[in-house]
Amino acid sequence: MQTKATVLIIEDEENIADFIATSLKAQEYKAVSTRLGKEGLALAASLCPDLILLDLGLPDLDGMEVIRKVREWSGMPIIVLSARNQEKEKVEALDLGADDYITKPVGSPELMARIRTALRHGAASGQTKAENVFITGGLQLDFGKRAVRVNGEEVHLTQVEYKIVAFLAANAGRVVTYDAIISHVWGPYMDDNNRILRVNMANIRRKLEQNPAEPRYIHTEIGVGYRMAEEE
Ligand code: CA
């Protein structure tokens, strides 16, 4: 049997850390836990885990500091474990280089899905994408031709709309912050007011989604950003 990935859990709430470790081991991942940020940093360097699950409120270090330190030397995927209603914290973590976040309390299927996505991105980073087409459900995006189809029908997007959709598709399964989208599409000097992004998103959803109020392809992460559905 193939060895599964090693996951480092940095979380001081013992019941949460135990629950996550048990869920991971049930899926044959290797799990290593610590309740301290400093020990987490040491383990990140010595174990070179495939993924870090990181609580932001640690007894010795701010979790943000852990992200910053790891990012000085490694692009290993980091998923932040965050409390509900902490949108600012989630945005800050993502902007520092975290790959995703999971809102506590953590459910096992959600956790495993996010871990698989982050590991896939981790393994794919640094490689050129072999296939040039993104497909999820009835949505198809051809990066080479810059063509978007929904249920086989070509959809006409403006230049800006296409850039937004392509950026989200390239990061499918992961939340992308408003600021990250704005600076990717309009450049770093654009005002970080996200009204223009919301207007574009409303137009995109009208074109792509059967029911724009209940999107299937591009999901809103309230107060944080957008998430394209995972590729199929
Ligand atoms: Ca904590």
PDB file of all heavy atoms in Angstrom, residues 8 10 36-46 48-54 58 61-79 96-99:
ATOM      1  N   LEU A   8       0.981  17.672   9.900  1.00  0.00           N
ATOM      2  CA  LEU A   8       1.370  18.233  11.185  1.00  0.00           C
ATOM      3  C   LEU A   8       0.220  19.077  11.719  1.00  0.00           C
ATOM      4  O   LEU A   8      -0.254  19.995  11.037  1.00  0.00           O
ATOM      5  CB  LEU A   8       2.631  19.099  11.013  1.00  0.00           C
ATOM      6  CG  LEU A   8       3.081  19.917  12.227  1.00  0.00           C
ATOM      7  CD1 LEU A   8       3.407  19.021  13.415  1.00  0.00           C
ATOM      8  CD2 LEU A   8       4.299  20.774  11.852  1.00  0.00           C
ATOM      9  N   ILE A  10      -0.993  21.649  14.509  1.00  0.00           N
ATOM     10  CA  ILE A  10      -0.541  22.578  15.555  1.00  0.00           C
ATOM     11  C   ILE A  10      -1.800  23.190  16.158  1.00  0.00           C
ATOM     12  O   ILE A  10      -2.436  24.060  15.557  1.00  0.00           O
ATOM     13  CB  ILE A  10       0.391  23.676  14.983  1.00  0.00           C
ATOM     14  CG1 ILE A  10       1.512  23.058  14.143  1.00  0.00           C
ATOM     15  CG2 ILE A  10       0.964  24.524  16.121  1.00  0.00           C
ATOM     16  CD1 ILE A  10       2.438  24.067  13.459  1.00  0.00           C
ATOM     17  N   LEU A  36       2.082  23.593  20.728  1.00  0.00           N
ATOM     18  CA  LEU A  36       2.873  24.824  20.779  1.00  0.00           C
ATOM     19  C   LEU A  36       3.362  25.268  19.397  1.00  0.00           C
ATOM     20  O   LEU A  36       3.779  24.438  18.579  1.00  0.00           O
ATOM     21  CB  LEU A  36       4.096  24.614  21.684  1.00  0.00           C
ATOM     22  CG  LEU A  36       3.788  24.358  23.162  1.00  0.00           C
ATOM     23  CD1 LEU A  36       5.070  24.038  23.916  1.00  0.00           C
ATOM     24  CD2 LEU A  36       3.070  25.562  23.778  1.00  0.00           C
ATOM     25  N   GLY A  37       3.332  26.568  19.173  1.00  0.00           N
ATOM     26  CA  GLY A  37       3.780  27.117  17.897  1.00  0.00           C
ATOM     27  C   GLY A  37       5.261  26.884  17.640  1.00  0.00           C
ATOM     28  O   GLY A  37       5.664  26.529  16.535  1.00  0.00           O
ATOM     29  N   LYS A  38       6.062  27.075  18.692  1.00  0.00           N
ATOM     30  CA  LYS A  38       7.519  26.918  18.506  1.00  0.00           C
ATOM     31  C   LYS A  38       7.879  25.486  18.163  1.00  0.00           C
ATOM     32  O   LYS A  38       8.698  25.223  17.284  1.00  0.00           O
ATOM     33  CB  LYS A  38       8.281  27.363  19.763  1.00  0.00           C
ATOM     34  CG  LYS A  38       8.376  28.873  19.839  1.00  0.00           C
ATOM     35  CD  LYS A  38       9.154  29.349  21.045  1.00  0.00           C
ATOM     36  CE  LYS A  38       9.075  30.873  21.106  1.00  0.00           C
ATOM     37  NZ  LYS A  38       9.140  31.369  22.485  1.00  0.00           N
ATOM     38  N   GLU A  39       7.245  24.549  18.888  1.00  0.00           N
ATOM     39  CA  GLU A  39       7.508  23.143  18.583  1.00  0.00           C
ATOM     40  C   GLU A  39       6.993  22.819  17.179  1.00  0.00           C
ATOM     41  O   GLU A  39       7.611  22.044  16.447  1.00  0.00           O
ATOM     42  CB  GLU A  39       6.823  22.245  19.622  1.00  0.00           C
ATOM     43  CG  GLU A  39       7.275  20.819  19.511  1.00  0.00           C
ATOM     44  CD  GLU A  39       6.731  19.953  20.641  1.00  0.00           C
ATOM     45  OE1 GLU A  39       5.589  19.490  20.554  1.00  0.00           O
ATOM     46  OE2 GLU A  39       7.460  19.768  21.608  1.00  0.00           O
ATOM     47  N   GLY A  40       5.870  23.439  16.819  1.00  0.00           N
ATOM     48  CA  GLY A  40       5.319  23.249  15.471  1.00  0.00           C
ATOM     49  C   GLY A  40       6.321  23.669  14.410  1.00  0.00           C
ATOM     50  O   GLY A  40       6.523  22.957  13.419  1.00  0.00           O
ATOM     51  N   LEU A  41       6.971  24.805  14.626  1.00  0.00           N
ATOM     52  CA  LEU A  41       7.967  25.282  13.655  1.00  0.00           C
ATOM     53  C   LEU A  41       9.139  24.315  13.561  1.00  0.00           C
ATOM     54  O   LEU A  41       9.632  24.019  12.469  1.00  0.00           O
ATOM     55  CB  LEU A  41       8.467  26.676  14.050  1.00  0.00           C
ATOM     56  CG  LEU A  41       7.506  27.833  13.745  1.00  0.00           C
ATOM     57  CD1 LEU A  41       7.999  29.125  14.392  1.00  0.00           C
ATOM     58  CD2 LEU A  41       7.346  28.010  12.239  1.00  0.00           C
ATOM     59  N   ALA A  42       9.565  23.811  14.734  1.00  0.00           N
ATOM     60  CA  ALA A  42      10.687  22.853  14.738  1.00  0.00           C
ATOM     61  C   ALA A  42      10.298  21.570  14.000  1.00  0.00           C
ATOM     62  O   ALA A  42      11.082  21.035  13.202  1.00  0.00           O
ATOM     63  CB  ALA A  42      11.095  22.546  16.171  1.00  0.00           C
ATOM     64  N   LEU A  43       9.061  21.105  14.234  1.00  0.00           N
ATOM     65  CA  LEU A  43       8.601  19.875  13.567  1.00  0.00           C
ATOM     66  C   LEU A  43       8.415  20.104  12.067  1.00  0.00           C
ATOM     67  O   LEU A  43       8.698  19.220  11.256  1.00  0.00           O
ATOM     68  CB  LEU A  43       7.279  19.405  14.182  1.00  0.00           C
ATOM     69  CG  LEU A  43       7.386  18.765  15.572  1.00  0.00           C
ATOM     70  CD1 LEU A  43       6.001  18.625  16.206  1.00  0.00           C
ATOM     71  CD2 LEU A  43       8.063  17.398  15.483  1.00  0.00           C
ATOM     72  N   ALA A  44       7.962  21.295  11.704  1.00  0.00           N
ATOM     73  CA  ALA A  44       7.792  21.597  10.274  1.00  0.00           C
ATOM     74  C   ALA A  44       9.137  21.470   9.568  1.00  0.00           C
ATOM     75  O   ALA A  44       9.231  20.925   8.465  1.00  0.00           O
ATOM     76  CB  ALA A  44       7.219  22.999  10.083  1.00  0.00           C
ATOM     77  N   ALA A  45      10.186  21.954  10.237  1.00  0.00           N
ATOM     78  CA  ALA A  45      11.517  21.903   9.624  1.00  0.00           C
ATOM     79  C   ALA A  45      12.095  20.485   9.641  1.00  0.00           C
ATOM     80  O   ALA A  45      12.722  20.054   8.678  1.00  0.00           O
ATOM     81  CB  ALA A  45      12.452  22.862  10.356  1.00  0.00           C
ATOM     82  N   SER A  46      11.875  19.733  10.742  1.00  0.00           N
ATOM     83  CA  SER A  46      12.516  18.417  10.831  1.00  0.00           C
ATOM     84  C   SER A  46      11.745  17.333  10.081  1.00  0.00           C
ATOM     85  O   SER A  46      12.336  16.443   9.492  1.00  0.00           O
ATOM     86  CB  SER A  46      12.714  18.018  12.296  1.00  0.00           C
ATOM     87  OG  SER A  46      11.475  17.933  12.956  1.00  0.00           O
ATOM     88  N   CYS A  48       9.363  17.941   7.611  1.00  0.00           N
ATOM     89  CA  CYS A  48       8.892  18.356   6.286  1.00  0.00           C
ATOM     90  C   CYS A  48       7.551  17.693   5.953  1.00  0.00           C
ATOM     91  O   CYS A  48       7.461  16.909   5.005  1.00  0.00           O
ATOM     92  CB  CYS A  48       9.912  18.058   5.201  1.00  0.00           C
ATOM     93  SG  CYS A  48      11.118  19.355   5.079  1.00  0.00           S
ATOM     94  N   PRO A  49       6.531  17.997   6.752  1.00  0.00           N
ATOM     95  CA  PRO A  49       5.226  17.365   6.509  1.00  0.00           C
ATOM     96  C   PRO A  49       4.675  17.786   5.142  1.00  0.00           C
ATOM     97  O   PRO A  49       5.141  18.763   4.562  1.00  0.00           O
ATOM     98  CB  PRO A  49       4.356  17.929   7.638  1.00  0.00           C
ATOM     99  CG  PRO A  49       4.987  19.220   8.018  1.00  0.00           C
ATOM    100  CD  PRO A  49       6.462  19.021   7.814  1.00  0.00           C
ATOM    101  N   ASP A  50       3.686  17.022   4.663  1.00  0.00           N
ATOM    102  CA  ASP A  50       3.058  17.371   3.385  1.00  0.00           C
ATOM    103  C   ASP A  50       2.039  18.475   3.568  1.00  0.00           C
ATOM    104  O   ASP A  50       1.621  19.100   2.590  1.00  0.00           O
ATOM    105  CB  ASP A  50       2.374  16.127   2.799  1.00  0.00           C
ATOM    106  CG  ASP A  50       3.390  15.037   2.542  1.00  0.00           C
ATOM    107  OD1 ASP A  50       4.114  15.154   1.547  1.00  0.00           O
ATOM    108  OD2 ASP A  50       3.493  14.094   3.352  1.00  0.00           O
ATOM    109  N   LEU A  51       1.634  18.675   4.822  1.00  0.00           N
ATOM    110  CA  LEU A  51       0.583  19.652   5.094  1.00  0.00           C
ATOM    111  C   LEU A  51       0.625  20.042   6.568  1.00  0.00           C
ATOM    112  O   LEU A  51       0.931  19.214   7.416  1.00  0.00           O
ATOM    113  CB  LEU A  51      -0.783  19.008   4.795  1.00  0.00           C
ATOM    114  CG  LEU A  51      -2.026  19.815   5.117  1.00  0.00           C
ATOM    115  CD1 LEU A  51      -2.357  20.744   3.963  1.00  0.00           C
ATOM    116  CD2 LEU A  51      -3.221  18.911   5.360  1.00  0.00           C
ATOM    117  N   ILE A  52       0.301  21.310   6.840  1.00  0.00           N
ATOM    118  CA  ILE A  52       0.170  21.753   8.235  1.00  0.00           C
ATOM    119  C   ILE A  52      -1.269  22.189   8.481  1.00  0.00           C
ATOM    120  O   ILE A  52      -1.843  22.933   7.679  1.00  0.00           O
ATOM    121  CB  ILE A  52       1.117  22.943   8.542  1.00  0.00           C
ATOM    122  CG1 ILE A  52       2.578  22.533   8.369  1.00  0.00           C
ATOM    123  CG2 ILE A  52       0.881  23.475   9.961  1.00  0.00           C
ATOM    124  CD1 ILE A  52       3.568  23.681   8.578  1.00  0.00           C
ATOM    125  N   LEU A  53      -1.848  21.710   9.572  1.00  0.00           N
ATOM    126  CA  LEU A  53      -3.136  22.235  10.049  1.00  0.00           C
ATOM    127  C   LEU A  53      -2.810  23.103  11.252  1.00  0.00           C
ATOM    128  O   LEU A  53      -2.207  22.638  12.215  1.00  0.00           O
ATOM    129  CB  LEU A  53      -4.057  21.088  10.485  1.00  0.00           C
ATOM    130  CG  LEU A  53      -4.629  20.226   9.367  1.00  0.00           C
ATOM    131  CD1 LEU A  53      -5.380  19.039   9.976  1.00  0.00           C
ATOM    132  CD2 LEU A  53      -5.563  21.029   8.486  1.00  0.00           C
ATOM    133  N   LEU A  54      -3.189  24.363  11.170  1.00  0.00           N
ATOM    134  CA  LEU A  54      -2.692  25.325  12.144  1.00  0.00           C
ATOM    135  C   LEU A  54      -3.815  26.099  12.825  1.00  0.00           C
ATOM    136  O   LEU A  54      -4.609  26.769  12.167  1.00  0.00           O
ATOM    137  CB  LEU A  54      -1.773  26.321  11.407  1.00  0.00           C
ATOM    138  CG  LEU A  54      -1.254  27.512  12.189  1.00  0.00           C
ATOM    139  CD1 LEU A  54      -0.277  27.069  13.271  1.00  0.00           C
ATOM    140  CD2 LEU A  54      -0.589  28.510  11.246  1.00  0.00           C
ATOM    141  N   LEU A  58      -2.574  30.131  19.703  1.00  0.00           N
ATOM    142  CA  LEU A  58      -1.707  29.170  20.388  1.00  0.00           C
ATOM    143  C   LEU A  58      -1.162  29.799  21.663  1.00  0.00           C
ATOM    144  O   LEU A  58      -1.062  31.020  21.757  1.00  0.00           O
ATOM    145  CB  LEU A  58      -0.548  28.769  19.466  1.00  0.00           C
ATOM    146  CG  LEU A  58      -0.975  28.063  18.171  1.00  0.00           C
ATOM    147  CD1 LEU A  58       0.200  27.982  17.204  1.00  0.00           C
ATOM    148  CD2 LEU A  58      -1.511  26.668  18.462  1.00  0.00           C
ATOM    149  N   LEU A  61       2.819  31.291  20.648  1.00  0.00           N
ATOM    150  CA  LEU A  61       3.070  32.117  19.464  1.00  0.00           C
ATOM    151  C   LEU A  61       1.746  32.426  18.794  1.00  0.00           C
ATOM    152  O   LEU A  61       0.825  31.629  18.856  1.00  0.00           O
ATOM    153  CB  LEU A  61       3.897  31.330  18.442  1.00  0.00           C
ATOM    154  CG  LEU A  61       5.405  31.358  18.442  1.00  0.00           C
ATOM    155  CD1 LEU A  61       5.913  30.607  17.210  1.00  0.00           C
ATOM    156  CD2 LEU A  61       5.933  32.789  18.410  1.00  0.00           C
ATOM    157  N   ASP A  62       1.681  33.550  18.124  1.00  0.00           N
ATOM    158  CA  ASP A  62       0.520  33.824  17.288  1.00  0.00           C
ATOM    159  C   ASP A  62       0.636  32.934  16.049  1.00  0.00           C
ATOM    160  O   ASP A  62       1.714  32.817  15.465  1.00  0.00           O
ATOM    161  CB  ASP A  62       0.568  35.309  16.883  1.00  0.00           C
ATOM    162  CG  ASP A  62      -0.671  35.744  16.121  1.00  0.00           C
ATOM    163  OD1 ASP A  62      -1.383  34.876  15.570  1.00  0.00           O
ATOM    164  OD2 ASP A  62      -0.929  36.953  16.080  1.00  0.00           O
ATOM    165  N   GLY A  63      -0.482  32.288  15.674  1.00  0.00           N
ATOM    166  CA  GLY A  63      -0.462  31.421  14.495  1.00  0.00           C
ATOM    167  C   GLY A  63       0.016  32.155  13.244  1.00  0.00           C
ATOM    168  O   GLY A  63       0.640  31.555  12.367  1.00  0.00           O
ATOM    169  N   MET A  64      -0.278  33.461  13.161  1.00  0.00           N
ATOM    170  CA  MET A  64       0.165  34.251  11.994  1.00  0.00           C
ATOM    171  C   MET A  64       1.692  34.206  11.880  1.00  0.00           C
ATOM    172  O   MET A  64       2.251  34.195  10.795  1.00  0.00           O
ATOM    173  CB  MET A  64      -0.273  35.719  12.123  1.00  0.00           C
ATOM    174  CG  MET A  64      -1.764  35.921  12.208  1.00  0.00           C
ATOM    175  SD  MET A  64      -2.649  35.458  10.692  1.00  0.00           S
ATOM    176  CE  MET A  64      -4.345  35.755  11.258  1.00  0.00           C
ATOM    177  N   GLU A  65       2.330  34.217  13.062  1.00  0.00           N
ATOM    178  CA  GLU A  65       3.790  34.179  13.105  1.00  0.00           C
ATOM    179  C   GLU A  65       4.294  32.835  12.564  1.00  0.00           C
ATOM    180  O   GLU A  65       5.324  32.775  11.879  1.00  0.00           O
ATOM    181  CB  GLU A  65       4.220  34.381  14.572  1.00  0.00           C
ATOM    182  CG  GLU A  65       5.643  34.798  14.776  1.00  0.00           C
ATOM    183  CD  GLU A  65       6.066  35.991  13.936  1.00  0.00           C
ATOM    184  OE1 GLU A  65       5.259  36.915  13.724  1.00  0.00           O
ATOM    185  OE2 GLU A  65       7.230  35.981  13.474  1.00  0.00           O
ATOM    186  N   VAL A  66       3.553  31.780  12.868  1.00  0.00           N
ATOM    187  CA  VAL A  66       3.927  30.453  12.361  1.00  0.00           C
ATOM    188  C   VAL A  66       3.858  30.449  10.830  1.00  0.00           C
ATOM    189  O   VAL A  66       4.776  29.970  10.153  1.00  0.00           O
ATOM    190  CB  VAL A  66       3.021  29.355  12.963  1.00  0.00           C
ATOM    191  CG1 VAL A  66       3.335  27.990  12.362  1.00  0.00           C
ATOM    192  CG2 VAL A  66       3.165  29.322  14.485  1.00  0.00           C
ATOM    193  N   ILE A  67       2.776  31.025  10.277  1.00  0.00           N
ATOM    194  CA  ILE A  67       2.652  31.077   8.812  1.00  0.00           C
ATOM    195  C   ILE A  67       3.831  31.853   8.213  1.00  0.00           C
ATOM    196  O   ILE A  67       4.490  31.404   7.277  1.00  0.00           O
ATOM    197  CB  ILE A  67       1.339  31.773   8.380  1.00  0.00           C
ATOM    198  CG1 ILE A  67       0.117  31.042   8.947  1.00  0.00           C
ATOM    199  CG2 ILE A  67       1.241  31.847   6.851  1.00  0.00           C
ATOM    200  CD1 ILE A  67      -1.199  31.769   8.705  1.00  0.00           C
ATOM    201  N   ARG A  68       4.085  33.019   8.811  1.00  0.00           N
ATOM    202  CA  ARG A  68       5.157  33.891   8.294  1.00  0.00           C
ATOM    203  C   ARG A  68       6.502  33.157   8.291  1.00  0.00           C
ATOM    204  O   ARG A  68       7.231  33.172   7.308  1.00  0.00           O
ATOM    205  CB  ARG A  68       5.239  35.136   9.191  1.00  0.00           C
ATOM    206  CG  ARG A  68       5.501  36.416   8.435  1.00  0.00           C
ATOM    207  CD  ARG A  68       5.430  37.629   9.367  1.00  0.00           C
ATOM    208  NE  ARG A  68       4.113  38.215   9.446  1.00  0.00           N
ATOM    209  CZ  ARG A  68       3.436  38.441  10.585  1.00  0.00           C
ATOM    210  NH1 ARG A  68       3.945  38.108  11.754  1.00  0.00           N
ATOM    211  NH2 ARG A  68       2.246  39.003  10.537  1.00  0.00           N
ATOM    212  N   LYS A  69       6.796  32.474   9.402  1.00  0.00           N
ATOM    213  CA  LYS A  69       8.087  31.779   9.536  1.00  0.00           C
ATOM    214  C   LYS A  69       8.193  30.625   8.539  1.00  0.00           C
ATOM    215  O   LYS A  69       9.233  30.448   7.901  1.00  0.00           O
ATOM    216  CB  LYS A  69       8.248  31.243  10.960  1.00  0.00           C
ATOM    217  CG  LYS A  69       8.534  32.337  11.981  1.00  0.00           C
ATOM    218  CD  LYS A  69      10.018  32.332  12.334  1.00  0.00           C
ATOM    219  CE  LYS A  69      10.500  33.634  12.949  1.00  0.00           C
ATOM    220  NZ  LYS A  69       9.815  33.973  14.200  1.00  0.00           N
ATOM    221  N   VAL A  70       7.123  29.838   8.424  1.00  0.00           N
ATOM    222  CA  VAL A  70       7.180  28.697   7.495  1.00  0.00           C
ATOM    223  C   VAL A  70       7.345  29.205   6.063  1.00  0.00           C
ATOM    224  O   VAL A  70       8.127  28.652   5.284  1.00  0.00           O
ATOM    225  CB  VAL A  70       5.918  27.802   7.626  1.00  0.00           C
ATOM    226  CG1 VAL A  70       5.863  26.766   6.510  1.00  0.00           C
ATOM    227  CG2 VAL A  70       5.902  27.105   8.976  1.00  0.00           C
ATOM    228  N   ARG A  71       6.649  30.285   5.740  1.00  0.00           N
ATOM    229  CA  ARG A  71       6.716  30.808   4.376  1.00  0.00           C
ATOM    230  C   ARG A  71       8.079  31.399   4.016  1.00  0.00           C
ATOM    231  O   ARG A  71       8.364  31.638   2.858  1.00  0.00           O
ATOM    232  CB  ARG A  71       5.612  31.862   4.144  1.00  0.00           C
ATOM    233  CG  ARG A  71       4.242  31.255   3.887  1.00  0.00           C
ATOM    234  CD  ARG A  71       4.183  30.527   2.543  1.00  0.00           C
ATOM    235  NE  ARG A  71       2.962  29.742   2.394  1.00  0.00           N
ATOM    236  CZ  ARG A  71       2.866  28.442   2.701  1.00  0.00           C
ATOM    237  NH1 ARG A  71       3.922  27.788   3.169  1.00  0.00           N
ATOM    238  NH2 ARG A  71       1.737  27.794   2.528  1.00  0.00           N
ATOM    239  N   GLU A  72       8.921  31.638   5.037  1.00  0.00           N
ATOM    240  CA  GLU A  72      10.272  32.118   4.726  1.00  0.00           C
ATOM    241  C   GLU A  72      11.080  31.052   4.000  1.00  0.00           C
ATOM    242  O   GLU A  72      12.009  31.358   3.278  1.00  0.00           O
ATOM    243  CB  GLU A  72      11.013  32.511   6.025  1.00  0.00           C
ATOM    244  CG  GLU A  72      10.545  33.838   6.583  1.00  0.00           C
ATOM    245  CD  GLU A  72      11.134  34.123   7.955  1.00  0.00           C
ATOM    246  OE1 GLU A  72      11.994  33.355   8.432  1.00  0.00           O
ATOM    247  OE2 GLU A  72      10.707  35.131   8.556  1.00  0.00           O
ATOM    248  N   TRP A  73      10.724  29.796   4.229  1.00  0.00           N
ATOM    249  CA  TRP A  73      11.553  28.754   3.619  1.00  0.00           C
ATOM    250  C   TRP A  73      10.763  27.661   2.903  1.00  0.00           C
ATOM    251  O   TRP A  73      11.337  26.819   2.231  1.00  0.00           O
ATOM    252  CB  TRP A  73      12.469  28.120   4.669  1.00  0.00           C
ATOM    253  CG  TRP A  73      11.723  27.460   5.795  1.00  0.00           C
ATOM    254  CD1 TRP A  73      11.245  28.065   6.913  1.00  0.00           C
ATOM    255  CD2 TRP A  73      11.340  26.095   5.889  1.00  0.00           C
ATOM    256  NE1 TRP A  73      10.584  27.160   7.695  1.00  0.00           N
ATOM    257  CE2 TRP A  73      10.639  25.946   7.098  1.00  0.00           C
ATOM    258  CE3 TRP A  73      11.529  24.971   5.073  1.00  0.00           C
ATOM    259  CZ2 TRP A  73      10.109  24.713   7.504  1.00  0.00           C
ATOM    260  CZ3 TRP A  73      11.005  23.752   5.481  1.00  0.00           C
ATOM    261  CH2 TRP A  73      10.306  23.633   6.685  1.00  0.00           C
ATOM    262  N   SER A  74       9.442  27.646   3.059  1.00  0.00           N
ATOM    263  CA  SER A  74       8.696  26.542   2.449  1.00  0.00           C
ATOM    264  C   SER A  74       7.330  26.963   1.935  1.00  0.00           C
ATOM    265  O   SER A  74       6.666  27.818   2.515  1.00  0.00           O
ATOM    266  CB  SER A  74       8.510  25.422   3.475  1.00  0.00           C
ATOM    267  OG  SER A  74       7.597  24.457   2.978  1.00  0.00           O
ATOM    268  N   GLY A  75       6.931  26.341   0.834  1.00  0.00           N
ATOM    269  CA  GLY A  75       5.596  26.561   0.275  1.00  0.00           C
ATOM    270  C   GLY A  75       4.637  25.451   0.674  1.00  0.00           C
ATOM    271  O   GLY A  75       3.580  25.311   0.087  1.00  0.00           O
ATOM    272  N   MET A  76       5.008  24.636   1.682  1.00  0.00           N
ATOM    273  CA  MET A  76       4.134  23.506   2.060  1.00  0.00           C
ATOM    274  C   MET A  76       2.729  24.004   2.395  1.00  0.00           C
ATOM    275  O   MET A  76       2.576  25.081   2.962  1.00  0.00           O
ATOM    276  CB  MET A  76       4.720  22.707   3.229  1.00  0.00           C
ATOM    277  CG  MET A  76       4.821  23.452   4.530  1.00  0.00           C
ATOM    278  SD  MET A  76       5.448  22.428   5.913  1.00  0.00           S
ATOM    279  CE  MET A  76       7.140  22.082   5.487  1.00  0.00           C
ATOM    280  N   PRO A  77       1.699  23.234   1.985  1.00  0.00           N
ATOM    281  CA  PRO A  77       0.332  23.703   2.229  1.00  0.00           C
ATOM    282  C   PRO A  77       0.042  23.897   3.721  1.00  0.00           C
ATOM    283  O   PRO A  77       0.442  23.074   4.547  1.00  0.00           O
ATOM    284  CB  PRO A  77      -0.549  22.586   1.666  1.00  0.00           C
ATOM    285  CG  PRO A  77       0.325  21.797   0.767  1.00  0.00           C
ATOM    286  CD  PRO A  77       1.731  21.949   1.278  1.00  0.00           C
ATOM    287  N   ILE A  78      -0.606  25.004   4.036  1.00  0.00           N
ATOM    288  CA  ILE A  78      -1.033  25.300   5.407  1.00  0.00           C
ATOM    289  C   ILE A  78      -2.530  25.561   5.390  1.00  0.00           C
ATOM    290  O   ILE A  78      -2.999  26.418   4.649  1.00  0.00           O
ATOM    291  CB  ILE A  78      -0.322  26.552   5.968  1.00  0.00           C
ATOM    292  CG1 ILE A  78       1.199  26.369   5.979  1.00  0.00           C
ATOM    293  CG2 ILE A  78      -0.840  26.893   7.373  1.00  0.00           C
ATOM    294  CD1 ILE A  78       1.974  27.624   6.376  1.00  0.00           C
ATOM    295  N   ILE A  79      -3.264  24.804   6.194  1.00  0.00           N
ATOM    296  CA  ILE A  79      -4.693  25.075   6.369  1.00  0.00           C
ATOM    297  C   ILE A  79      -4.893  25.604   7.783  1.00  0.00           C
ATOM    298  O   ILE A  79      -4.462  24.986   8.756  1.00  0.00           O
ATOM    299  CB  ILE A  79      -5.558  23.810   6.170  1.00  0.00           C
ATOM    300  CG1 ILE A  79      -5.394  23.264   4.743  1.00  0.00           C
ATOM    301  CG2 ILE A  79      -7.035  24.129   6.439  1.00  0.00           C
ATOM    302  CD1 ILE A  79      -6.185  21.987   4.486  1.00  0.00           C
ATOM    303  N   LEU A  96      -1.118  36.061   4.166  1.00  0.00           N
ATOM    304  CA  LEU A  96       0.246  35.706   4.590  1.00  0.00           C
ATOM    305  C   LEU A  96       0.754  34.445   3.891  1.00  0.00           C
ATOM    306  O   LEU A  96       1.921  34.099   4.014  1.00  0.00           O
ATOM    307  CB  LEU A  96       0.282  35.461   6.100  1.00  0.00           C
ATOM    308  CG  LEU A  96       0.376  36.692   6.984  1.00  0.00           C
ATOM    309  CD1 LEU A  96       0.294  36.280   8.452  1.00  0.00           C
ATOM    310  CD2 LEU A  96       1.676  37.441   6.734  1.00  0.00           C
ATOM    311  N   GLY A  97      -0.144  33.743   3.206  1.00  0.00           N
ATOM    312  CA  GLY A  97       0.316  32.571   2.468  1.00  0.00           C
ATOM    313  C   GLY A  97      -0.298  31.259   2.900  1.00  0.00           C
ATOM    314  O   GLY A  97       0.095  30.200   2.407  1.00  0.00           O
ATOM    315  N   ALA A  98      -1.288  31.306   3.818  1.00  0.00           N
ATOM    316  CA  ALA A  98      -2.022  30.072   4.117  1.00  0.00           C
ATOM    317  C   ALA A  98      -2.799  29.684   2.863  1.00  0.00           C
ATOM    318  O   ALA A  98      -3.159  30.539   2.057  1.00  0.00           O
ATOM    319  CB  ALA A  98      -2.971  30.278   5.287  1.00  0.00           C
ATOM    320  N   ASP A  99      -3.026  28.388   2.676  1.00  0.00           N
ATOM    321  CA  ASP A  99      -3.695  27.919   1.464  1.00  0.00           C
ATOM    322  C   ASP A  99      -5.201  27.906   1.604  1.00  0.00           C
ATOM    323  O   ASP A  99      -5.921  28.024   0.616  1.00  0.00           O
ATOM    324  CB  ASP A  99      -3.227  26.506   1.126  1.00  0.00           C
ATOM    325  CG  ASP A  99      -1.758  26.518   0.764  1.00  0.00           C
ATOM    326  OD1 ASP A  99      -0.925  26.524   1.701  1.00  0.00           O
ATOM    327  OD2 ASP A  99      -1.446  26.588  -0.429  1.00  0.00           O
TER     328      ASP A  99
END
